[in-house]
Amino acid sequence: MKELRIFCPATIANVACGFDVLGLCLDHIGDEMVVRKTGSGQVTISRIEGQDLPLEAANNVAGVSAMALLKALGSKQGFDMEIHKKIKPGSGIGSSAASAAGAVFAINRLLGEPFTLNELIPFAMEGEKLASGALHADNVAPALLGGFSLVRSYDPLDVIRLHTPGQLYATIIHPQIEVKTADARSVLKHSVPLKKAIAQWGNVGGLVSGLYTEDYDLIGRSLHDGIVEPLRSLLIPRFDQVKQASAEAGALGSGISGSGPSIFALSKGEHTAKKVAEAMTQVYADSGVAFDVHVSGISHEGVRPTMSGTP
Amino acid sequence: MKELRIFCPATIANVACGFDVLGLCLDHIGDEMVVRKTGSGQVTISRIEGQDLPLEAANNVAGVSAMALLKALGSKQGFDMEIHKKIKPGSGIGSSAASAAGAVFAINRLLGEPFTLNELIPFAMEGEKLASGALHADNVAPALLGGFSLVRSYDPLDVIRLHTPGQLYATIIHPQIEVKTADARSVLKHSVPLKKAIAQWGNVGGLVSGLYTEDYDLIGRSLHDGIVEPLRSLLIPRFDQVKQASAEAGALGSGISGSGPSIFALSKGEHTAKKVAEAMTQVYADSGVAFDVHVSGISHEGVRPTMSGTP
């Protein structure tokens, strides 16, 4: 195999209570990439469609991730990538992670899978670092593994694929304002009250338990973030109204997607998720802020080969 | 039914990463109680064997818990309790919780079960408050529900029974020194570094996932506490040596049981748990501190009626 076309899914990191550790993989929303073996001995990016992003591999998350993988293997194989960007950078649904995960997935596959999906995560994290300045895995892990994933530990890296109930749907509203990951990090405090930390790990435990037992009510009760959301939500217009409208429309819970500005809600069943989309749309309709709203299942698979002719 | 004899199990609260939220129920280690309906219209404690504890109901955790239950029901029914105390108060394996849970379990059963086990937890917490000064549920919840339990939230109270793998065994060493719960709380800091809090909720998520998937290695990898253990372990002689010896003997992980001074380790299989007991014993043998060592399975049932003639 010389060429691979892949779908690179968008992801929701943090998932309310799980700041820096939880993430989930969306279905249908994502980029496409074509990755080819070349004789150049280098990683090149010949084309990026849909967004204005750097073509130099060393300045592009896909390029950096690819080079990290090849360096670990000691491989001199050259690869060229075409990226058809559909996820808007800075939207908070894992735009950089999709490119990072896609690059390492495709190259690994084209080289005969020397690495497991879990082993690819650290290479994709190198790409993430270029985008956000920090080595984080809560987007690249679900982008590679699919479903819900938990970064139990960063040092050593230990990523767990969690059980993902089949009727869980996400609704996402992306207000088109700029919140850079680095800025969203700078509003955080270096220490947190012990009492709030205890509430947070109670909710993480509850959410993980709810995923395994497919207890949608428990999942909903656990979707609270008393630590990061109160600070970051100030950067997102009408955040509280979106949250309230989502709850009234039947969502299990909601929160900031990654570092924002997208807001996500989880619902049981696509029908409810669509009602939540309508409710979110109404909140933003007269806001003067441009926005997109998406409804998506949770994909049980991460990056995957696609059959489409021209991506 | 006028009288009920029950077994009131010991419990391990916190379970390393789950400070204030996780607990597990031990098998075989516990108190016995006999609870009888009386015509006195009051809660009385006619006898306490094994320990020197207050007989006045208002000063005894069992009495306070019983009265909280009866008050909620508006019941004028009288009850007398005999408590055969085998768990040493102050040992850190839920002595007060066993009495609190036992009292409310037996009275609820004798009254025809007006409450579910989950609904009994708040009454038992009133008894716990008398003992420790704080309303906590991480011992009374597993004492009532059995297995592993998670206090997802204290306000409102939301307690989840988690799946408990069958081959999990606990080893406990109880150094006979006094560490009062209130003192153990006073060494805690009111705020924690965000980075440590993230590591902690990653481990809580990992432990809960490991319990559901019966992944003993993951359970072991998740048994870390970077927040409370470094402070409280200073109050426990030879803590680090016990931890190291337990790991070398094959334990999955270890930590402080509740607020100490008992130290627990979890192992896969009784054989390993017994080897851990030997290793713990060796560490303490020449310490000059009196100690007990116990090995126990995790009980899938909490407080339960017992058939024994005289407890």
Side-chain angles (χ1 to χ4, degrees), chain A residues 32-36 38 40 42-49 51-67 78-85 99-100 103 107 127 130:
Chain A
E32 294 187 64
M33 286 175 75
V34 183
V35 182
R36 292 180 193 92
T38 66
S40 71
Q42 290 178 33
V43 172
T44 53
I45 300 169
S46 56
R47 193 172 153 204
I48 299 176
E49 276 197 1
Q51 294 293 331
D52 185 25
L53 290 167
L55 283 168
E56 307 77 45
N59 293 326
N60 182 297
V61 295
V64 168
S65 304
M67 289 188 288
F79 288 94
D80 182 63
M81 302 189 272
E82 278 180 33
I83 307 175
H84 300 257
K85 207 73 204 151
S99 297
I107 290 176
L130 180 74

Side-chain angles (χ1 to χ4, degrees), chain B residues 123-147:
Chain B
F123 308 130
M125 286 170 72
E126 292 292 332
E128 278 287 62
K129 192 179 172 189
L130 180 74
S132 74
L135 276 171
H136 68 104
D138 44 354
N139 287 106
V140 294
L144 280 163
L145 306 179

Side-chain angles (χ1 to χ4, degrees), chain A residues 19 21 150 152 158 160 162 189-194 198 200-206 209 212-213 218 221-222, chain B residues 19 150 152 158 160 162 189-194 198 200-206 209 212-213 218 221-222 227:
Chain A
F19 179 66
V21 307
L150 169 78
R152 186 199 61 79
D158 187 7
I160 318 296
L162 305 174
K189 297 190 170 148
H190 291 293
S191 72
V192 297
L194 178 59
I198 293 167
Q200 199 90 345
W201 62 64
N203 281 319
V204 169
S209 179
Y212 279 100
T213 57
L218 174 55
R221 296 201 303 279
S222 305
Chain B
F19 178 67
L150 168 78
R152 186 200 61 80
D158 187 7
I160 318 297
L162 305 174
K189 298 193 170 145
H190 291 294
S191 72
V192 297
L194 177 59
I198 293 167
Q200 199 90 347
W201 62 63
N203 281 318
V204 169
S209 178
Y212 280 100
T213 56
L218 174 55
R221 297 201 303 279
S222 305
I227 291 179

